[in-house]
């Protein structure tokens, strides 16, 4: 029996998809099938995939499209292997990705997910080294010990909901059966990846980690991440907190992390000026409970008082001008 299905959901990205497929077919571990789920409205992707003469490729077109999360879950259901390796159509793998991850999963059936670190790359595929190292530090992937990860609920929630360390959508191999048993609430779409890691943590399934960077995660304006998903993010954090009332102090860490995300959204909305003021102030008000110190005071006042919000916006603009001057001087 084939051990792993590489699932590639796609939508109208023929050129990038070809790079993703080429990187999958170049794997040194070759016991896999490659499932392409196409949500595209045009025929270009279907024609492009048909140019490959490789029996491992299985193509399916969704008419109508299923959305990003629906396409991904449909591919999981179509798979007939014990393991799933997800590859987004705008990302690529190094040739050793499956060799690094799959054998350990086969040797230890108790491991639900093997995840790795990854490179951030620009739209042209060039490595963004500073961004990569910063993200590795922020998510603690730079300091998580290699090997099997056994944890209690609090440690697992910190790993997923505060550090956001595992990335099952592009830098992990996941066991298929637990995914099939999960329910995916519509209000968390498209954050199926974080929901999966949360559900695995909640069930107490061990993970395995290797800090090698064997995935290239592309950062570009058309990505789902770039488009934003504030409401789904809020619903996800709300569910995690409400469903784990006995998890202890880690819940305060989750609230603080969530509040920082809301603060960031609020300040980004300031770039739209008065047009986005109402939404920005709403985000400030919702962030208050998880903030502390001066930031909490600023959110409290700016979230309720129009002139205070405008003052925050002016401070943000002034800081950006200074940062731009520094960048030009460098």
């Amino acid at each position: 029996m084939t051990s792993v299905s590489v699932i590639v959901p796609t939508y109208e990205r023929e050129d990038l998809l070809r790079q993703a497929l080429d990187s999958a077919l170049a794997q040194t571990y070759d016991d896999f099938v490659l499932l392409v789920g196409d949500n595209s409205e045009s025929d270009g992707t279907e024609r492009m995939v048909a140019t490959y003469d490789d029996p491992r490729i299985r193509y399916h077109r969704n008419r109508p499209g299923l959305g990003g999360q629906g396409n991904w879950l449909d591919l999981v259901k179509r798979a007939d292997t014990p393991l799933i390796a997800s590859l987004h159509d705008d990302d690529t793998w190094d040739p050793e990705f499956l060799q690094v991850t799959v054998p350990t999963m086969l040797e230890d059936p108790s491991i639900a997910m093997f995840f790795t670190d990854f490179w951030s790359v620009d739209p042209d595929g060039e490595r963004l080294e500073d961004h990569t190292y910063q993200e590795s530090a922020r998510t603690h992937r730079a300091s998580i010990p290699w090997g099997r990860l056994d944890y209690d609920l609090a440690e697992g929630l910190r790993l997923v909901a505060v550090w956001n360390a595992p990335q099952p959508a592009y830098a992990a191999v996941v066991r298929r059966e637990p995914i099939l048993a999960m329910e995916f609430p519509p209000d968390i779409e498209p954050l199926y990846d974080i929901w999966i890691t949360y559900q695995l943590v909640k069930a107490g399934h061990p993970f395995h980690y290797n800090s090698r960077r064997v995935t290239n995660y592309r950062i570009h304006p058309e990505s789902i991440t770039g488009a934003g998903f504030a409401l789904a993010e809020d619903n996800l954090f709300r569910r995690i907190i409400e469903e784990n009332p006995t998890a202890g102090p880690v819940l305060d860490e989750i609230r603080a992390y969530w509040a920082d995300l809301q603060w960031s959204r609020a300040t980004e909305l300031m770039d739209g000026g008065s047009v986005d003021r109402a939404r920005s102030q709403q985000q400030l008000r919702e962030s208050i409970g998880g903030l502390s110190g001066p930031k909490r005071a600023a959110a409290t006042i700016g979230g309720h008082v129009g002139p205070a919000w405008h003052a925050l916006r002016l401070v943000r603009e002034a800081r950006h001008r200074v940062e731009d001057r520094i960048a030009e001087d460098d």
Side-chain angles (χ1 to χ4, degrees), residues 113-118 136 140-149 165 207-212:
M113 177 170 60
F114 189 129
F115 68 100
T116 72
D117 207 346
F118 54 89
S136 293
H140 293 251
R141 286 191 295 267
S143 54
I144 295 173
W146 284 33
R148 181 184 170 105
L149 301 178
F207 294 165
H208 197 284
Y209 176 62
N210 186 315
S211 64
R212 286 187 61 183

Side-chain angles (χ1 to χ4, degrees), residues 8 22 32 39 47 77 131 137 146 214 217 306:
V8 187
D22 288 346
F32 66 87
N39 272 347
R47 288 195 298 267
K77 294 174 183 176
H131 185 275
W146 284 33
V214 283
Y217 171 68

